[in-house]
Amino acid sequence: MSEVVRPPPSVGIGKKRQPARRAGHRMNPDHLQLALPFIALVVMLVVIFAIRPAAFSYFGFGLLFNLAVPLILASMAQMLVICLGDIDLSVGNFVGFVTCVVAVFLRDKPFIAMLLLAAGIVAYAAVGVLIQLRSLPSIIVTLGMSFVWLGLALLILPSPGGTAPDWLTATMALQTPWIPLPLVIAVALAAAGHWLLKRSAYGVVLLGAGANPRAAARAGWSLLQARIMMYGTAGGLAVLSGLALSGLTTSGDPNIAPTYTLLGVGAVILGGGSFTGGLVSPVGTVVGAMTLSLAGSLLSFLNVPPVWQVGAQGVILFLVLAGRVFIGRSGR
Amino acid sequence: MQSHSIRQSPWLFGFIGAAVLFVATIIVSRGGGASATFHAAMAFSIFSVLVAISQMLVITSGPGNIDLSVPAVLTLCAYIGMGVMHGSNAWIPVGLLVVAAVGLLAGAFNYAAILLLRLPPIIATLASSFVFQSLAMNAGGDATIKPPSLLSAFTSLSVGPVSVLAVLVVLLTIGLAIGLKRSLFGRRLLATGQSEAAARFAGIRTRQVRLISYAGAGLFSGLAGFLLAGFTGGAALNMGDTYLMESIAVVVLGGTSVAGGQANAIGIWGSALFFNLLTIMLNSFRTPVGLRYLLTGAIIILIVTAATRPLTRT
């Protein structure tokens, strides 16, 4: 795992390796890498609580991280695809499609809704099959799919509206004892993701299929099966993301989540992942997604004028990732 | 290279598709409106081609290189250009120069972030696009500034059915195609895109090459914004939104390899005309916007599936 801090090959090739300056009693750079988004998250929370001490409460945490839940799920979906060395440009529009299906069908015609959502997951797996069998660049196929999902969503629900079923809204507003629901979900997802991908036997095979497909294939593992697993699970997570989002907004909107696609990519990379394949961290991705969704709240707490908020989010992304570079440098 | 079957030249799909759509439109409208359709398709393709040229320069510079800041740079330059000129014809040259400078700087900033922070290009250009968006919002102010009358007139000037600007952009595309094949920089860019390590061992200053390709991308995005604002009567915050995905789709279906190191400038025109004709045709049938997106997506997947030969990817 010493490869984790290797810079992306497109920029780092030929760069002289810097010798470890104070080797010995240093934290494992692996762990530092993981700690970075976590540190950013804690710093942001401290700033927010310093400005509004009242936010440091059960309800405060709940409100701050409510909208993080769908983003975490979409980021985990993106993570699985990035793990194979691919990228998914369609996940944001797929989440929008799911919210439309939920808002139009789930309350009155649950069977049709289930059928459509299941078809969505199958379509995700089919995209994986197509990419694997025809050796297609994932970026173009998923770009095409992003138009397909947007189109389907607009056909189902031409303008934002509809109603999410009450049980879904109630689930998202559930008051869990002691720890607010969004945090419970975040921890559960991180733990499940870590266990399934990093600790289970087949999870390690999937990581290997991403890191070195040829070696995995030579060792007798089916790359087709790996892509079906990863894309299918990604589709499932994206469906959950859409369910969570429509539970929170109580309605559907084809254009609600296009930003999830790239924010998800940001969360994966922020969490220590890399595009080279096989190098992703479920825990890091969850923390990365929470950091990105908290950045918006932080900026409004800081009274950053609305016109600068987007830009400040970009600057935060730059700053956190710049920290990664310095860790990578000194940790060698 | 002897047998030029369509499988060997997938970029021809765009031109063939465009021709088929054009003929179909003429048949459906019974001969009427052919000139108007062609005119409209050319006019809208100008901007698709310009943003696609930006994207092509970046994509060609190596695997994983993609410029997500194209729409943000386009919008930023449109606002700054309109602000500098303030509707005055005399200031058009100054506006153009400022826009060119801002575009170049934005592109150079992207590459600086990639190099200094060692970020993957997707992430670097994503983060910088947020920054550029904010800058555009601040440059914009509240009121929409009208473009100078001469600029508006120029962007829609046409001789017969042929738009003058379209001819200029076609010439630019041909120039770029020749430049990529024949010029020293073109060869260096392709070599860098194929293998940065090998290119460096061959004595190419790959960082300089990639800096120029990113700066060039910013320049063309900025130019697209400048002209688009002139064409549509002013800058708007969402004017670039559709061009992000479109620029990638047009470039790749135009025959440029996503893996880098292989560019096709001429093919851009084929796929740009194809997509714009498709939009015009579906609009004239009053097709629901959802169906239009659905068809666009399906066609992208179909073409890329048909045009990519298996086992070309390592």
Side-chain angles (χ1 to χ4, degrees), chain A:
Chain A
M1 288 302 280
S2 63
E3 295 184 346
V4 168
V5 288
R6 183 181 59 187
S10 50
V11 279
I13 290 169
K15 193 156 280 181
K16 274 184 194 154
R17 297 198 167 198
Q18 306 208 348
R21 262 166 267 167
R22 280 172 295 154
H25 47 277
R26 264 195 169 275
M27 228 178 123
N28 183 347
D30 249 33
H31 295 158
L32 257 178
Q33 186 86 261
L34 243 181
L36 194 70
F38 199 76
I39 294 168
L41 185 62
V42 171
V43 168
M44 285 183 186
L45 280 174
V46 167
V47 173
I48 287 176
F49 294 144
I51 300 170
R52 289 285 154 78
F56 190 78
S57 63
Y58 182 92
F59 286 104
F61 270 100
L63 283 176
L64 283 174
F65 287 112
N66 237 344
L67 280 169
V69 173
L71 181 61
I72 291 174
L73 286 159
S75 304
M76 302 223 33
Q78 185 68 264
M79 177 192 76
L80 295 181
V81 175
I82 288 182
C83 178
L84 288 174
D86 291 353
I87 191 167
D88 181 5
L89 294 187
S90 67
V91 65
N93 281 343
F94 181 66
V95 171
F97 163 78
V98 172
T99 67
C100 292
V101 170
V102 168
V104 174
F105 294 116
L106 192 57
R107 196 175 55 167
D108 302 323
K109 300 169 187 148
F111 184 70
I112 294 180
M114 298 290 180
L115 210 66
L116 283 171
L117 296 181
I121 296 175
V122 171
Y124 246 83
V127 167
V129 171
L130 182 69
I131 288 171
Q132 175 66 37
L133 290 185
R134 303 278 313 186
S135 312
L136 297 181
S138 58
I139 191 166
I140 303 305
V141 180
T142 57
L143 173 70
M145 286 310 290
S146 79
F147 286 112
V148 170
W149 295 126
L150 179 61
L152 287 173
L154 283 166
L155 287 175
I156 294 175
L157 189 66
S159 57
T163 332
D166 295 332
W167 59 263
L168 189 61
T169 320
T171 310
M172 290 312 291
L174 193 70
Q175 302 214 344
T176 40
W178 301 105
I179 302 166
L181 182 68
L183 293 183
V184 174
I185 294 178
V187 171
L189 278 171
H194 185 77
W195 187 76
L196 286 173
L197 200 60
K198 299 269 183 179
R199 289 283 173 266
S200 81
Y202 191 59
V204 175
V205 170
L206 289 174
L207 286 174
N212 192 340
R214 201 170 288 177
R218 290 235 171 108
W221 297 99
S222 160
L223 291 181
L224 182 64
Q225 195 187 330
R227 276 218 157 62
I228 292 175
M229 282 295 291
M230 290 301 231
Y231 276 83
T233 315
L237 286 165
V239 164
L240 291 178
S241 168
L243 282 170
L245 189 57
S246 42
L248 288 169
T249 59
T250 72
S251 65
D253 179 356
N255 281 308
I256 194 168
T259 53
Y260 279 15
T261 301
L262 295 174
L263 283 180
V265 175
V268 174
I269 303 301
L270 212 54
S274 133
F275 289 114
T276 49
L279 295 175
V280 292
S281 157
V283 180
T285 303
V286 169
V287 179
M290 291 169 82
T291 310
L292 285 180
S293 87
L294 196 64
S297 314
L298 172 74
L299 295 169
S300 42
F301 273 109
L302 286 173
N303 283 327
V304 174
V307 283
W308 284 114
Q309 285 196 6
V310 190
Q313 248 168 328
V315 172
I316 289 177
L317 205 54
F318 272 134
L319 283 179
V320 180
L321 289 168
R324 220 172 86 140
V325 173
F326 292 120
I327 290 173
R329 236 173 228 165
S330 57
R332 265 182 205 286

Side-chain angles (χ1 to χ4, degrees), chain A residues 8 10-11 13 87 134 136 139-140 143-145 147-148 151 154 262 269 275 307-308 310-311 321-322 325 329, chain B residues 66 114 117-120 123 126 130 133-134 138 196 200 210 245 252 258 290 293-294 297 301 305 308 313:
Chain A
S10 50
V11 279
I13 290 169
I87 191 167
R134 303 278 313 186
L136 297 181
I139 191 166
I140 303 305
L143 173 70
M145 286 310 290
F147 286 112
V148 170
L154 283 166
L262 295 174
I269 303 301
F275 289 114
V307 283
W308 284 114
V310 190
L321 289 168
V325 173
R329 236 173 228 165
Chain B
I66 220 153
I114 292 168
L117 299 182
R118 291 198 227 157
L119 296 179
I123 297 299
L126 172 67
F130 288 154
Q133 266 175 43
S134 260
N138 281 283
E196 190 169 4
R200 188 169 302 164
R210 292 181 65 201
M245 295 306 182
V252 174
V258 227
Y293 280 120
L294 183 64
I301 295 175
T305 309
T308 311
R313 200 178 63 170

Side-chain angles (χ1 to χ4, degrees), chain B residues 178-204:
Chain B
I178 297 172
L180 279 167
K181 278 227 160 49
R182 299 260 177 268
S183 80
L184 208 51
F185 175 76
R187 307 299 294 189
R188 283 178 178 154
L189 176 61
L190 296 180
T192 304
Q194 278 156 25
S195 165
E196 190 169 4
R200 188 169 302 164
F201 283 127
I204 296 173

Side-chain angles (χ1 to χ4, degrees), chain B residues 185 188-189 192 204-213:
Chain B
F185 175 76
R188 283 178 178 154
L189 176 61
T192 304
I204 296 173
R205 291 181 184 166
T206 52
R207 285 181 189 173
Q208 199 184 325
V209 169
R210 292 181 65 201
L211 175 66
I212 294 173
S213 74

